[in-house]
């Protein structure tokens, strides 16, 4: 489902941006970020009767919010119902929204990233680890999706150039994999290495 979305993010990360750079912050960006965080927390945990990651439908409102700020992103149909893919797209999109805000207001971006990392950790912690007879639990799929969204679909070129805010944001992004997969896990070590390289 997300091949087009992922391809678009990859093209942006490779430098395929539009020539007309934004001149100011969107007036609704901050509100949309916190709204998307609240929606994502409920969606990841399957709380509130609004669907859950992997149902193939309920991510739509979150993706619509992301597309308000990244309109060139299109969502394909080749991963409908795949929890890991849906989570990766949503996590990558919301993370990019926060990085976009950090470009205009580094401190606000850092505070939003702190809230986002805590939201992801809390939502993942509330998911049952019960496999229910399947090979991979929903909790593991959501964890993999969070890791993929943060490590692969995040566009670091959107991040602020303010030194202190940049260090704070990168440190928070480094901590995501540790919070989700545990200290010393392969994912935590890979995330640490990846985000440490972004200091340069």
């Amino acid at each position: 489902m997300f091949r087009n979305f992922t391809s678009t993010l990859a093209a942006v990360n490779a430098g395929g941006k539009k020539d007309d750079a934004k001149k100011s912050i969107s007036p609704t960006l901050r509100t949309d970020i916190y709204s998307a965080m609240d929606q994502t927390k409920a969606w990841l945990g399957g709380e509130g009767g609004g669907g859950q990651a992997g149902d193939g439908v309920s991510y739509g409102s979150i993706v619509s919010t992301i597309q308000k700020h990244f309109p060139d992103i299109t969502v394909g149909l080749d991963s409908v119902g795949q929890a890991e893919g849906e989570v990766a797209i949503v996590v990558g999109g919301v993370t990019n929204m926060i990085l976009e805000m950090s470009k205009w207001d580094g401190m606000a971006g850092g505070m939003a990233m702190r809230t986002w990392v805590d939201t992801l950790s809390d939502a993942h912690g509330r998911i049952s680890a019960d496999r229910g007879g399947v090979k991979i639990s929903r909790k593991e799929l959501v964890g993999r999706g969070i890791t993929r969204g943060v490590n692969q679909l995040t566009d670091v070129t959107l991040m602020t150039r303010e030194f202190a805010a940049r260090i704070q944001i990168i440190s928070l992004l480094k901590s995501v994999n540790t919070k989700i997969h545990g200290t010393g896990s392969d994912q935590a070590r890979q995330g640490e290495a990846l985000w440490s390289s972004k200091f340069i």
Side-chain angles (χ1 to χ4, degrees):
M1 169 188 328
F2 305 110
R3 182 175 296 151
N4 291 341
F5 191 90
T6 305
S7 298
T8 303
L9 285 176
V12 168
N13 286 337
K17 292 184 177 181
K18 285 187 163 185
D19 292 332
D20 54 336
K22 293 181 181 178
K23 304 290 183 204
S24 65
I25 189 171
S26 167
T28 63
L29 181 60
R30 185 183 310 254
T31 305
D32 288 341
I33 287 170
Y34 286 98
S35 173
M37 282 186 206
D38 291 340
Q39 290 176 318
T40 302
K41 184 175 184 177
W43 175 72
L44 287 174
E47 301 167 358
Q52 66 181 5
D55 66 9
V57 179
S58 58
Y59 62 89
S61 63
I62 305 168
V63 171
S64 293
T65 302
I66 294 166
Q67 288 176 327
K68 283 171 45 178
H69 303 284
F70 299 100
D72 293 340
I73 294 172
T74 58
V75 180
L77 297 174
D78 51 336
S79 294
V80 172
Q82 182 191 37
E84 182 180 341
E86 290 177 9
V87 171
I89 295 303
V90 169
V91 169
V94 175
T95 304
N96 284 339
M97 288 170 62
I98 295 168
L99 293 180
E100 174 70 19
M101 183 170 72
S102 80
K103 182 170 37 176
W104 303 101
D105 185 349
M107 190 55 68
M111 292 184 325
M113 191 62 75
R114 160 80 57 201
T115 303
W116 179 231
V117 168
D118 290 345
T119 297
L120 291 174
S121 177
D122 186 44
H124 183 262
R126 292 179 182 207
I127 300 171
S128 171
D130 181 30
R131 292 181 189 265
V134 295
K135 189 174 182 180
I136 300 174
S137 73
R138 185 171 169 281
K139 183 172 187 134
E140 290 174 73
L141 290 172
V142 168
R144 288 180 185 179
I146 290 170
T147 296
R148 198 166 111 207
V150 168
N151 291 352
Q152 296 174 10
L153 301 181
T154 298
D155 182 4
V156 294
T157 63
L158 297 171
M159 194 182 319
T160 183
R161 293 289 174 206
E162 294 176 35
F163 184 73
R166 188 175 181 89
I167 288 175
Q168 179 184 15
I169 290 169
I170 290 173
S171 295
L172 288 165
L173 289 170
K174 283 170 44 174
S175 74
V176 170
N177 292 319
T178 301
K179 289 182 176 196
I180 300 299
H181 300 287
T183 304
S185 66
D186 287 342
Q187 295 90 342
R189 287 194 304 272
Q190 290 168 359
E192 174 79 22
L194 173 78
W195 288 104
S196 292
S197 71
K198 305 301 181 192
F199 277 119
I200 300 171

